[in-house]
Amino acid sequence: MDLLSAMRVFVRVVELRSFTQAADDQGVSSSAVSKQVAMLEQHFKARLLHRTTRSLNVTDIGEAIYRQCKVVLEEVAGAENLVAEFQGEPRGLLRISSNMTFGQLVLSRALPEFMARYPDIRLEVTLDDRMPDMVREGYDLMIRIKGSQLPDSSLVARKLCDIPMFICATPQYLADQGVPDSVQALQGHNCLIFVHAENAHQWQLGAPGEAPQVATVSGDLRANNSVVVREALLAHRGIANLASFIIAPHVARGELVPVFPHAEPERLAAYAFYPNRESVTLKVSRFVDFFAGWLNEHLPQSLPPADKGAV
């Protein structure tokens, strides 16, 4: 029996409370997971789990074994990382969680270059707008777009880049409904809301050296995905406040225009979160350094000029 492999499987079963989810997580079949747990129970000569068709519960001794397995696996991972440090090359599996749209439109473009640079690192990427429990769900790194209020937790946060937000609409919508002359005038317009944004209903603009103006907005569309908001925007349904990386190609083609082109946009930021600064692995530090540099080179902080030939 490969005791370490059985420990890894058992730990994921306990953390996910599911043989099926643990199988998906480890890239094996459910029967393989059941076999690994059974072998571990045979090794310890104790029942570690109570499993029924509706629930999975950890026995008292199973809970104690789970905690010891976590310690052993962390020590093994630490030894592997130490070897990698001495060899100077990061290796192993890097599990990343990212915002959905940011992951689709930005992170996905950076990954092939990173993989080519570090061929001994394997990537597992999950796109999800919720905030996961990094330790329980086994992520090495989490990338999220946040405002000034960071999660109150033990996680280490490193800012990767600014994310400017632009209030925008189609030229047709503004021709039909009029151009608002202030942030407060947005209250008379149909504002399309991305609900996961920290500034979802409180849009603000400012000028250098001045306090920002804030307006509470509403409209007939609220969505948990910014691409859904963008598509309604392109259909002339209203005004939206979206990140530059979501709208930049459409601004360049003249399909969207900033509503307040001379105002200072609100800025959020992309952050990398990881559990512990002291034990950060080489693969995590290399990825964070790489991605921060990649974003600085590829993610512009202003909107592109419209193509003068665009219609």
Side-chain angles (χ1 to χ4, degrees):
M1 177 182 68
D2 185 339
L3 188 57
L4 285 176
S5 293
M7 286 181 175
R8 289 190 182 95
V9 168
F10 173 65
V11 164
R12 295 308 286 152
V13 169
V14 173
E15 292 175 341
L16 297 172
R17 286 296 195 272
S18 168
F19 275 62
T20 301
Q21 291 184 38
D24 292 340
D25 179 79
Q26 296 294 301
V28 298
S29 66
S30 294
S31 61
V33 169
S34 297
K35 183 178 180 180
Q36 291 274 54
V37 172
M39 289 182 354
L40 199 63
E41 289 181 325
Q42 184 178 2
H43 176 82
F44 287 116
K45 296 181 174 57
R47 171 73 70 177
L48 305 180
L49 301 170
H50 287 307
R51 184 185 184 192
T52 69
T53 55
R54 294 187 177 181
S55 65
L56 186 152
N57 297 300
V58 187
T59 65
D60 290 342
I61 192 169
E63 184 66 35
I65 293 296
Y66 161 76
R67 290 196 294 269
Q68 287 301 310
C69 285
K70 287 279 288 184
V71 172
V72 170
L73 293 173
E74 287 170 0
E75 290 294 331
V76 170
E80 291 173 340
N81 292 332
L82 186 62
V83 172
E85 293 280 358
F86 275 108
Q87 293 177 339
E89 288 298 328
R91 64 187 70 246
L93 178 65
L94 178 61
R95 303 186 75 229
I96 302 173
S97 169
S98 172
N99 294 94
M100 179 69 71
T101 306
F102 186 76
Q104 290 173 318
L105 300 183
V106 180
L107 176 63
S108 63
R109 293 163 46 207
L111 293 181
E113 183 178 333
F114 178 79
M115 290 186 288
R117 187 176 299 183
Y118 299 103
D120 291 329
I121 293 181
R122 294 174 290 115
L123 295 177
E124 183 176 307
V125 181
T126 301
L127 305 184
D128 193 340
D129 285 323
R130 70 184 179 88
M131 291 288 286
D133 183 329
M134 287 192 64
V135 176
R136 187 171 187 83
E137 297 181 42
Y139 290 112
D140 300 296
L141 180 66
M142 180 173 67
I143 299 170
R144 288 295 183 274
I145 296 176
K146 306 292 291 181
S148 57
Q149 295 297 115
L150 297 182
D152 182 14
S153 72
S154 60
L155 297 178
V156 177
R158 174 177 167 181
K159 183 178 176 180
L160 299 173
C161 69
D162 286 327
I163 304 290
M165 306 286 291
F166 292 92
I167 298 172
C168 56
T170 62
Q172 179 178 321
Y173 174 87
L174 296 175
D176 293 342
Q177 303 298 325
V179 180
D181 57 6
S182 68
V183 174
Q184 285 70 30
L186 290 171
Q187 294 172 340
H189 285 263
N190 189 41
C191 294
L192 312 172
I193 308 296
F194 170 50
V195 297
H196 282 315
E198 291 187 1
N199 59 343
H201 295 90
Q202 300 287 324
W203 295 1
Q204 67 179 46
L205 284 176
E210 297 181 6
Q213 299 178 355
V214 181
T216 302
V217 298
S218 62
D220 62 5
L221 175 66
R222 298 174 71 251
N224 69 349
N225 186 285
S226 52
V227 172
V228 174
V229 174
R230 185 187 66 189
E231 293 308 301
L233 186 68
L234 290 168
H236 322 296
R237 291 292 310 158
I239 297 176
N241 191 19
L242 294 174
S244 55
F245 66 86
I246 298 171
I247 62 171
H250 302 280
V251 172
R253 292 194 292 268
E255 298 165 347
L256 294 173
V257 295
V259 176
F260 305 101
H262 303 297
E264 184 70 19
E266 182 176 4
R267 293 182 184 273
L268 305 181
Y271 287 89
F273 295 93
Y274 40 93
N276 191 307
R277 189 184 303 275
E278 284 70 30
S279 61
V280 62
T281 62
L282 186 61
K283 61 189 177 184
V284 169
S285 63
R286 288 290 173 84
F287 182 85
V288 172
D289 289 342
F290 162 82
F291 195 39
W294 189 94
L295 289 169
N296 183 62
E297 182 179 350
H298 292 88
L299 200 67
Q301 292 298 302
S302 60
L303 291 176
D307 183 349
K308 295 191 181 300
V311 177

